[in-house]
Amino acid sequence: MAHYKLTYFGMGGRAEPIRIAFHAAGIDFEDVRITFPEFMEMRDSLRFKCVPTLEIDGQVVTQSNAMCRYVGKMAGLYPEDDMQALYCDEALGAIEDLLHALTPTIGLEGDELKAAREKLVDGWMARILSGLGELIERGGEYFADNRLTVADLKVGGLIQWLNGGHLDHVPADLVEQVAPALNEHASRVFDHPLVKAYYAANPQ
């Protein structure tokens, strides 16, 4: 069997859907959780200067959505139907758009941070959350295939994080204001037996 080594920060984020998919597939993997200083030391050696990375028998691959699809297929958490796979990818891509919009505000301080975050909340963040709300209404209980997929894991994790109030100048009730259906969806995801089994085995 192949040896898998997933490297990311000691948090959920982009790596958590991949971790859950590995667990759901019953595949052992090396879960390497690094600190930010450790990341800065290794950053220049990384292909795109970012994590997560996934090493498969010594070959390193990047891009979290690609990893989600790869491990998701092994776990049965990625649609086989082309149209349903497209719906899954649409939601995965929307989350990346949101995170890319958020990244430039990381490291800002004071009034500059406040202005940037307020602009983001009123602009791209609200638009993307609203769009994801439309996608879940199209899909029903899940984003694709009428069942749990890696798209649900990725979106649900982000919604839970936003609701935790971890971002200065981003209201903890933003999701409820803009797309309350996403909160119902996140509850459904974290109540799913596969997800509950993962967290039972990996307490946070």
Side-chain angles (χ1 to χ4, degrees):
M1 178 176 286
H3 176 262
Y4 300 97
K5 177 181 176 181
L6 179 66
T7 301
Y8 193 63
F9 300 112
M11 57 183 287
R14 286 179 167 98
E16 198 74 342
I18 304 163
R19 294 176 182 136
I20 296 172
F22 267 129
H23 186 269
I27 297 173
D28 291 331
F29 70 103
E30 191 176 347
D31 188 7
V32 179
R33 303 194 181 210
I34 59 174
T35 64
F36 188 74
E38 287 173 330
F39 166 69
M40 292 305 294
E41 289 181 5
M42 65 191 295
R43 186 168 185 253
D44 286 342
S45 68
L46 301 173
R47 182 172 296 122
F48 295 114
K49 300 186 185 299
C50 62
V51 288
T53 61
L54 178 61
E55 187 175 318
I56 307 171
D57 287 339
Q59 295 295 319
V60 178
V61 295
T62 62
Q63 304 302 318
S64 60
N65 282 352
M67 297 174 208
C68 278
R69 285 187 285 271
Y70 177 77
V71 185
K73 289 176 182 178
M74 294 191 290
L77 293 173
Y78 189 79
E80 294 184 6
D81 178 83
D82 288 343
M83 182 58 72
Q84 296 302 317
L86 176 61
Y87 290 159
C88 183
D89 288 347
E90 184 178 13
L92 290 172
I95 291 297
E96 285 303 310
D97 287 345
L98 191 154
L99 293 173
H100 285 310
L102 175 64
T103 298
T105 71
I106 305 297
L108 300 179
E109 298 179 354
D111 290 342
E112 189 178 15
L113 174 63
K114 184 174 186 291
R117 288 278 171 81
E118 288 178 348
K119 180 179 180 181
L120 181 62
V121 166
D122 293 337
W124 275 113
M125 188 170 283
R127 179 62 259 169
I128 293 172
L129 290 173
S130 177
L132 284 165
E134 294 173 11
L135 295 186
I136 195 62
E137 289 173 6
R138 174 188 69 191
E141 293 190 341
Y142 299 102
F143 283 99
D145 232 14
N146 295 313
R147 64 186 180 91
L148 186 77
T149 69
V150 287
D152 302 293
L153 299 178
K154 188 156 187 168
V155 177
L158 179 86
I159 297 307
Q160 186 183 63
W161 180 61
L162 290 176
N163 288 342
H166 301 294
L167 290 171
D168 291 338
H169 311 297
V170 175
D173 65 346
L174 176 63
V175 177
E176 188 63 29
Q177 293 179 36
V178 175
L182 294 178
N183 281 334
E184 297 173 16
H185 169 262
S187 295
R188 190 176 303 117
V189 169
F190 284 95
D191 281 341
H192 193 282
L194 284 177
V195 179
K196 292 177 76 171
Y198 169 78
Y199 285 109
N202 301 274
Q204 300 299 297

